[in-house]
Amino acid sequence: MQVPQDGEDFASQPWYHGPLSRQKAEALLQQDGDFLVRASGSRGGHPVISCRWQGSALHFEVLRVALRPRPGRPTALFQLEDERFPSLTSLVLSYVTGQRPLSQATGAVASRPVIRQGPIRRSFSEDTLRGSPALTELPRTRKWSDSQPAGLEHMGRSREDHCGPEASAMPTCALPRMGSDPVLLKTPAPLGSVADSLRASDGQLHAKAPTKPPRTPSLVLRDASGRPPTYCELVPRVPGAQGTPPGHSSPETEAPWWEAEEEEEEESRSFARPQAEVSFCPPNNPSCLLGAQNRPLEPRVLSTLRGLFLEHHPGSTALHLLLADCQATGLLGVTKAQRGAMGVASGLELLTLPHGHRLRLELLERHEALALAGALAVLGCAGPLEERAATLRGLVELALALGPGAAGDLPGLAAVMGALLMPQVSRLERTWRQLRRSHTEAALAFEQELKPLMRALDEGAGPCDPGEVALPHVVPAVRLLEGEELPGPLDESCERLLRTLHRARQMAQDAPKFREAAARRLRGFRPNPQLREALTTGFVQRLLWGSRGVGAPQAARLEKFQRVLSVLSQRLEPDG
């Protein structure tokens, strides 16, 4: 079951270091772009993003805006300056993958996470991020001992021992300061006034907006004693009061990009000559799961991914894969600049044209990489036989959830079936026998439903109605247009050739209908940021071949990984 976004276990993120003083955090930041998230003792345990930029260590406190509980909505939003997010994880991933500055004044960009070494202990910030009642009461004045809620005594009396001398002048209020205050308050504000300024109703703040920020906001907050600055000044914008800046969206007021209405095309629009080949899989996106550099098949990452897939229902995973496939195919999220560059409105049209060569190669690469990753999920199970059989059952259930009438993601279905039908997996007789014995329903569905369906789709037949299918099976047409020969006798291959070409032309004509069908299935869907990243082409490539090996020729990479899978298959069930 998917964990609610506003209550997800952020402590499992490799970039979260838990309770950590400013001095220790700065010692871990070595190069520009290095960042980590910590629970600051001087800020009442609230999350702080520490980042090195232009040779200086900067610290940004994440604001938490409480919302009135509503079904299907988060109980809090997290914000730096512009956009608000339903979880701390989604905020960090958005800024890192989008390479957006943490604040406009500093221009600091977080790009490389500093990976935590070892476990962390639970801190007050975890209660804060989960909307704990601890936020509703001002901590009593007790002796400061540690970051645990029971030890928050005498806050502000002896913080020099815990966070350094700069923390001694910090206010005792544990709630975050609004960014419109140009300097640090000398005395803690009353709890009621601060809480009222952050309390929201139905996703909006109260009508009374915070004080207008100065025209030239100070870059940092200065300590009352005149010591060097510590925290960077943020100027958060309130939706509805100050507006949302161009290019940024608020999850409470605007739909995500896959729900955005497609711009109406003028019927009399003249033909636009294509300017360049378009890519819908931009390479070298920063990854919080893999880090800046990674080796192939890192055990830590594989363990994290296994946990991600186990906690999601096959239907939820299918929607995540549909979203990633729609973006990789150019069905959803196509910008006006991309449409102008490729001369058509959809990737389904582009892949049938001569200048769609780059897109066709990307789709073939994605299909092969996802199939190899699925096979690895089975062959990497070195434990009991039942564990491998359960993994097979999970892949079968995912394939059923991707099929026509369900998610309708036929490229995703083809990749999963490619993993199940791969020779290294299909030869595991004991494992398939255990599947039939322990999970009979899944075994029957695989033999009687999925295999005939996949055979028909590969031959240019099978379902392709836009109401039943959200994203059609494009691999046969892509292979044909890239010059691959069709298998089988000549007369059968000619018929298959004609069916495949007709299907490609039909899906290009029906591209608007497919886009509508995909958007309808994804309406209201809010993906898990980590699982969404794990299903992108670039992530799967780096997972399988590492950050260095991904640059090798495709044929060499595929051949090498096929040998790896053969070795794993022989170890699980040796011949003879």
Side-chain angles (χ1 to χ4, degrees):
M1 181 178 295
Q2 184 171 355
V3 180
Q5 287 179 312
D6 57 327
E8 58 186 340
D9 186 12
F10 60 92
S12 64
Q13 303 297 330
W15 37 257
Y16 181 71
H17 289 243
L20 191 68
S21 67
R22 178 178 59 83
Q23 292 85 350
K24 293 181 179 179
E26 292 178 355
L28 296 175
L29 305 174
Q30 301 296 325
Q31 302 176 3
D32 281 1
D34 288 355
F35 80 95
L36 58 85
V37 180
R38 60 190 177 89
S40 172
S42 64
R43 312 300 286 180
H46 280 267
V48 170
I49 300 178
S50 298
C51 175
R52 183 167 293 279
W53 187 250
Q54 295 181 350
S56 300
L58 307 177
H59 306 273
F60 305 85
E61 182 180 358
V62 180
L63 304 181
R64 180 184 185 275
V65 181
L67 301 178
R68 178 176 297 174
R70 290 180 58 187
R73 294 292 183 93
T75 59
L77 297 177
F78 297 85
Q79 176 184 8
L80 287 179
E81 282 192 340
D82 297 326
E83 189 175 355
R84 294 176 175 176
F85 298 87
S87 68
L88 178 62
T89 300
S90 58
L91 181 147
V92 173
L93 289 178
S94 176
Y95 276 90
V96 173
T97 57
Q99 291 293 277
R100 296 161 48 194
L102 299 175
S103 74
Q104 296 299 323
T106 64
V109 175
S111 57
R112 287 183 302 275
V114 177
I115 305 301
R116 181 184 71 247
Q117 302 296 330
I120 59 175
R121 53 194 175 94
R122 184 177 176 87
S123 69
F124 177 72
S125 63
E126 296 188 41
D127 296 326
T128 300
L129 293 178
R130 287 173 170 80
S132 169
L135 245 184
T136 62
E137 298 182 5
L138 191 64
R140 298 178 181 178
T141 306
R142 302 174 183 172
K143 182 179 179 181
W144 175 274
S145 59
D146 54 30
S147 61
Q148 301 297 329
L152 297 177
E153 301 178 355
H154 286 303
M155 290 185 64
R157 287 195 178 182
S158 57
R159 294 188 179 184
E160 297 88 343
D161 297 336
H162 188 76
C163 298
E166 290 83 1
S168 60
M170 291 293 179
T172 59
C173 180
L175 292 173
R177 177 189 52 79
M178 295 301 292
S180 57
D181 298 332
V183 295
L184 197 63
L185 298 176
K186 295 182 179 180
T187 58
L191 177 63
S193 62
V194 179
D196 289 341
S197 67
L198 292 179
R199 191 177 298 116
S201 175
D202 298 337
Q204 301 292 337
L205 294 178
H206 282 282
K208 184 177 180 180
T211 308
K212 184 177 180 180
R215 292 183 179 271
T216 307
S218 57
L219 294 183
V220 292
L221 295 176
R222 295 191 175 275
D223 194 289
S225 62
R227 293 185 175 90
T230 303
Y231 285 88
C232 293
E233 174 78 8
L234 297 176
V235 185
R237 293 167 175 81
V238 181
Q242 300 175 0
T244 304
H248 299 293
S249 62
S250 169
E252 287 293 304
T253 58
E254 296 184 15
W257 58 264
W258 58 88
E259 292 183 2
E261 294 292 335
E262 190 72 18
E263 296 181 8
E264 295 292 336
E265 298 290 337
E266 298 181 4
E267 295 182 1
S268 59
R269 188 185 68 173
S270 59
F271 172 74
R273 182 179 297 275
Q275 301 298 321
E277 292 197 5
V278 176
S279 171
F280 299 108
C281 298
N284 301 325
N285 275 342
S287 171
C288 283
L289 288 174
L290 294 174
Q293 301 290 331
N294 73 290
R295 296 182 178 181
L297 307 179
E298 290 187 353
R300 175 186 61 83
V301 180
L302 293 175
S303 176
T304 301
L305 292 178
R306 180 174 292 274
L308 272 177
F309 284 101
L310 287 177
E311 72 181 21
H312 283 78
H313 188 272
S316 173
T317 305
L319 289 179
H320 282 82
L321 189 54
L322 173 63
L323 178 60
D325 284 334
C326 285
Q327 188 173 14
T329 312
L331 185 65
L332 294 177
V334 182
T335 64
K336 185 177 181 179
Q338 289 174 327
R339 289 197 299 269
M342 63 187 183
V344 290
S346 169
L348 291 181
E349 302 171 78
L350 177 63
L351 63 85
T352 64
L353 300 176
H355 58 285
H357 171 68
R358 181 177 181 180
L359 174 61
R360 291 192 292 269
L361 293 182
E362 289 178 350
L363 293 178
L364 288 177
E365 173 78 22
R366 175 171 178 80
H367 173 76
E368 297 290 350
L370 287 176
L372 291 175
L376 178 66
V378 178
L379 300 174
C381 295
L385 181 63
E386 176 58 34
E387 182 181 353
R388 290 199 300 277
T391 304
L392 283 180
R393 183 203 62 185
L395 289 176
V396 171
E397 291 177 346
L398 177 58
L400 292 171
L402 290 166
D409 180 10
L410 299 191
L413 169 64
V416 176
M417 289 299 294
L420 293 171
L421 297 173
M422 199 167 291
Q424 294 90 334
V425 176
S426 59
R427 65 171 294 276
L428 301 177
E429 296 182 1
R430 293 174 49 232
T431 305
W432 287 99
R433 191 181 305 116
Q434 182 67 27
L435 175 71
R436 291 189 289 270
R437 183 182 300 113
S438 302
H439 312 286
T440 307
E441 185 176 352
L444 290 176
F446 176 71
E447 294 292 341
Q448 300 178 3
E449 297 180 34
L450 293 176
K451 289 177 71 173
L453 171 63
M454 200 65 243
R455 188 180 306 112
L457 290 173
D458 286 337
E459 294 176 354
C464 194
D465 180 71
E468 191 178 11
V469 174
L471 190 59
H473 185 37
V474 299
V475 173
V478 168
R479 293 190 187 279
L480 184 63
L481 292 172
E482 285 302 307
E484 294 188 18
E485 296 184 0
L486 297 175
L490 182 61
D491 54 345
E492 295 181 4
S493 62
C494 287
E495 294 180 3
R496 182 175 176 182
L497 173 90
L498 293 176
R499 287 196 304 268
T500 302
L501 291 177
H502 175 73
R503 181 64 60 89
R505 181 175 56 193
Q506 189 64 41
M507 71 182 183
Q509 293 176 351
D510 292 340
K513 297 180 181 179
F514 285 117
R515 181 170 57 240
E516 181 181 353
R520 183 169 60 251
R521 282 170 166 83
L522 293 171
R523 188 170 295 122
F525 175 62
R526 296 298 179 266
N528 178 285
Q530 286 185 310
L531 185 55
R532 178 183 169 189
E533 178 192 355
L535 293 173
T536 59
T537 305
F539 180 91
V540 178
Q541 289 176 319
R542 288 187 54 189
L543 174 69
L544 300 181
W545 294 289
S547 54
R548 294 184 178 180
V550 74
Q554 181 189 23
R557 287 189 285 109
L558 294 178
E559 181 184 0
K560 181 178 180 180
F561 206 85
Q562 288 285 351
R563 292 200 301 267
V564 171
L565 294 182
S566 299
V567 171
L568 293 176
S569 180
Q570 287 292 332
R571 287 182 179 179
L572 293 177
E573 296 187 21
D575 290 331

